[in-house]
Amino acid sequence: MKQNSSSPGVFVLLGFSDKPQLEIVLFVVILIFYILNLVGNTIIILASCRDPKLHTPMYFFLTNLSLLDLCFTTSVAPQLLVTMRRKDKTMSYSGCIAQLYVAMELGSTECILLTVMAYDRYAAVCRPLHYAVIMHRRLCLSLAATAWLSGLATSLIQCSLTIQLPLCGHNHLDHIFCEVPVLIKLACVDTTFNEAQLFVASVVFLVVPVSLILISYGYITQAILRIKSASGRRRAFGTCSSHLVVVIIFYGTIIFMYLQPVKSRSKDQGKFVSLFYTIVTPLLNPLIYTLRNKDVKGALIKLILGKARG
């Protein structure tokens, strides 16, 4: 990867180095969360692939989400853990830029994928008799591919524009990983265009998806209220509430980070918010879906028993 002539050879990721005691606590917490993330999302992927009962659109998208969360957290957590335990907080320029592209691609993909999952729940609750026809295999594959490719496209555009900014040798990133708003803030030239472009991209990948999700859940709520059976209403609500919890947590934190003016962000708030949507939220997905879903719990029991017999 070609290095900008005004860019430093290495970056210094300050993270929480100004709070040594907090850094030690966060290291342990992040390590535990990362291990649980790896285990939880891997189990969901294996269970969804091996149990025929889970070969449905809902679990196909859940498998994509688990794979996405595995990759998203892995793009940030290992480097963060290494940096936190070293006195030398440096990270190579190429490593930082690679992390920039990967994290942006995966984060943008998740924004679209959660919208796709909301549409799947809308079809399941509001059009139950036509669900199998609407959510056919080809459409599911197309929607998943659209999510992944749209994330890749926005990453290539946004990150390529960002790395062209001259940094004039500035190399101290007061953050936990290499992220677009932080690099824009580090630039030594006028960044109005980059901030405007980031705002537009944030509207497309955050505001529009959230609006579509809220609209779909408006229709879902109406459909659930029309169900006469109380147990039927509970089942329908349970099917969708897990996804809605994930949506609220993920979008709430990432909107806070990306829809504020770059130079008005509090550095400590930004660090904790980024920590939340890169480390905490990916762990909540397997916890929420497994603890509240009988089909997934049944598949997990079969998977564990199968391993034990093997």
Side-chain angles (χ1 to χ4, degrees):
M1 188 174 295
K2 188 176 180 181
Q3 184 174 329
N4 188 325
S5 60
S6 66
S7 299
V10 296
F11 285 103
V12 179
L13 290 174
L14 298 177
F16 299 95
S17 57
D18 59 334
K19 302 177 179 66
Q21 292 182 334
L22 176 62
E23 190 174 46
I24 294 172
V25 173
L26 287 175
F27 175 85
V28 175
V29 172
I30 292 169
L31 179 61
I32 293 172
F33 271 60
Y34 181 52
I35 293 172
L36 292 176
N37 185 324
L38 291 177
V39 173
N41 281 300
T42 300
I43 288 176
I44 284 184
I45 293 171
L46 292 175
S48 298
C49 291
R50 296 187 61 175
D51 193 326
K53 289 184 179 179
L54 302 186
H55 293 174
T56 63
M58 177 181 173
Y59 297 109
F60 169 74
F61 294 125
L62 177 57
T63 301
N64 273 267
L65 182 63
S66 292
L67 176 61
L68 184 63
D69 285 335
L70 271 177
C71 298
F72 194 19
T73 305
T74 301
S75 72
V76 174
Q79 176 63 45
L80 177 58
L81 290 169
V82 169
T83 303
M84 292 176 78
R85 295 312 302 151
R86 287 190 325 202
K87 290 184 179 179
D88 178 10
K89 305 292 184 181
T90 59
M91 181 180 185
S92 68
Y93 178 86
S94 59
C96 180
I97 299 307
Q99 185 181 69
L100 183 76
Y101 274 93
V102 173
M104 172 62 79
E105 194 273 332
L106 296 173
S108 301
T109 298
E110 182 151 353
C111 291
I112 303 301
L113 186 60
L114 289 173
T115 310
V116 169
M117 294 176 74
Y119 176 71
D120 173 67
R121 292 301 83 210
Y122 161 79
V125 175
C126 299
R127 305 289 299 278
L129 299 179
H130 301 91
Y131 177 68
V133 176
I134 296 172
M135 300 303 295
H136 54 83
R137 180 174 176 77
R138 184 178 296 177
L139 177 63
C140 292
L141 291 172
S142 298
L143 290 173
T146 299
W148 287 92
L149 291 175
S150 60
L152 176 62
T154 192
S155 175
L156 291 174
I157 294 170
Q158 183 62 56
C159 295
S160 297
L161 288 171
T162 302
I163 64 174
Q164 297 303 314
L165 291 171
L167 303 180
C168 301
H170 299 162
N171 71 336
H172 283 65
L173 290 176
D174 199 2
H175 201 52
I176 61 171
F177 73 103
C178 295
E179 197 168 13
V180 169
V182 182
L183 283 177
I184 290 177
K185 192 174 182 179
L186 202 65
C188 57
V189 295
D190 180 33
T191 58
T192 302
F193 172 77
N194 295 79
E195 291 182 46
Q197 199 276 336
L198 178 62
F199 180 80
V200 171
S202 299
V203 169
V204 172
F205 281 87
L206 295 174
V207 177
V208 173
V210 166
S211 300
L212 293 174
I213 290 170
L214 292 177
I215 291 171
S216 70
Y217 273 97
Y219 284 110
I220 288 170
T221 302
Q222 290 179 351
I224 290 175
L225 293 176
R226 286 197 296 266
I227 298 174
K228 295 181 180 180
S229 166
S231 60
R233 285 197 298 270
R234 284 195 297 271
R235 284 196 302 271
F237 180 74
T239 303
C240 303
S241 60
S242 299
H243 177 253
L244 191 56
V245 169
V246 173
V247 165
I248 292 171
I249 294 172
F250 177 76
Y251 281 105
T253 53
I254 205 167
I255 284 174
F256 178 87
M257 183 67 184
Y258 278 82
L259 284 182
Q260 288 189 75
V262 169
K263 295 180 181 177
S264 69
R265 295 187 179 95
S266 164
K267 63 179 183 178
D268 286 335
Q269 282 183 336
K271 292 174 190 177
F272 281 106
V273 167
S274 295
L275 198 62
F276 205 87
Y277 63 73
T278 56
I279 307 296
V280 179
T281 304
L283 174 62
L284 294 178
N285 292 337
L287 288 178
I288 289 171
Y289 281 104
T290 53
L291 293 178
R292 296 177 61 87
N293 192 296
K294 292 181 180 179
D295 292 335
V296 175
K297 285 190 284 188
L300 293 180
I301 292 172
K302 288 182 183 178
L303 181 64
I304 293 170
L305 292 177
K307 291 285 185 183
R309 291 190 186 118

